[in-house]
Amino acid sequence: MNTNRFRSAALAGAAGLLLPLGLVALAPVAQAEGTGQPFGPACASLPTSGPGSPAEMAGQPVATAAASNPELSTLATAVEKAGLVDTLDNAQNITVFAPTNDAFEKIPKADLDAILNDKAQLTNLLTYHVVEEKVTVDKLPNGTFTSMQGGQLTTSGSGDRFKVNDSSSIVCGDVETKNATVHLIDTVLMPPS
């Protein structure tokens, strides 16, 4: 009888030791904090290899990387029209809150065409989406950042669900490029007037 009790106690003690070790081993997977690993529901829609994949984007400067990503083709066109390709590709340690094609589609076509054909307004809009510092998931829960345009951006949330300016959700965040961190967002951010 005592032998069985000792075995049970030993097994329970071993399980108690193994469980925390298992949780520690899983912690980096469960939490994306500061790892630079993409997070969010739309990351699964990114190509797994080749143009537009996180692996390929990591070796390219941000505007070039966006141009190869099928989710960011409207943004890439806008960046080119505004003449910001070199500015973004040559900047260091920036963060781009990158509206997806679906985000641009939320803007009525006539309004979007007007913005795309007004270089000053387009530049103002696009530079509002760029922060001149590296903003990874660990800074998103309660963040306030100054954009390249000069306006303030705020972020809030937890886990893998974050909002920007309480109006746009990060659908795939912490996508690294050669010179920037990219957070794909579902709504175009409008700069303060």
Side-chain angles (χ1 to χ4, degrees), residues 77-159:
T77 298
V79 166
E80 190 173 331
K81 279 186 157 235
L84 292 172
V85 172
D86 288 341
T87 300
L88 295 178
D89 277 354
N90 292 317
Q92 293 302 311
N93 293 320
I94 61 173
T95 299
V96 178
F97 291 93
T100 62
N101 294 341
D102 289 342
F104 279 104
E105 287 176 11
K106 291 179 181 179
I107 300 172
K109 183 170 175 14
D111 294 344
L112 181 58
D113 288 345
I115 293 168
L116 290 172
N117 291 311
D118 181 338
K119 188 173 179 179
Q121 185 179 7
L122 183 59
T123 300
N124 187 54
L125 177 75
L126 294 175
T127 55
Y128 184 62
H129 289 76
V130 181
V131 172
E132 295 180 286
E133 67 178 276
K134 188 174 179 90
V135 179
T136 52
V137 67
D138 56 316
K139 295 181 181 178
L140 294 174
N142 188 25
T144 300
F145 311 99
T146 301
S147 72
M148 185 181 276
Q149 176 262 2
Q152 295 289 305
L153 295 173
T154 60
T155 58
S156 60
S158 63

Side-chain angles (χ1 to χ4, degrees), residues 38-46 159-162 169-173 184 186:
F39 68 88
C43 290
S45 67
L46 295 178
D160 67 353
R161 303 220 182 264
F162 294 96
S169 294
I170 295 176
V171 294
C172 182
L184 282 71
D186 68 356

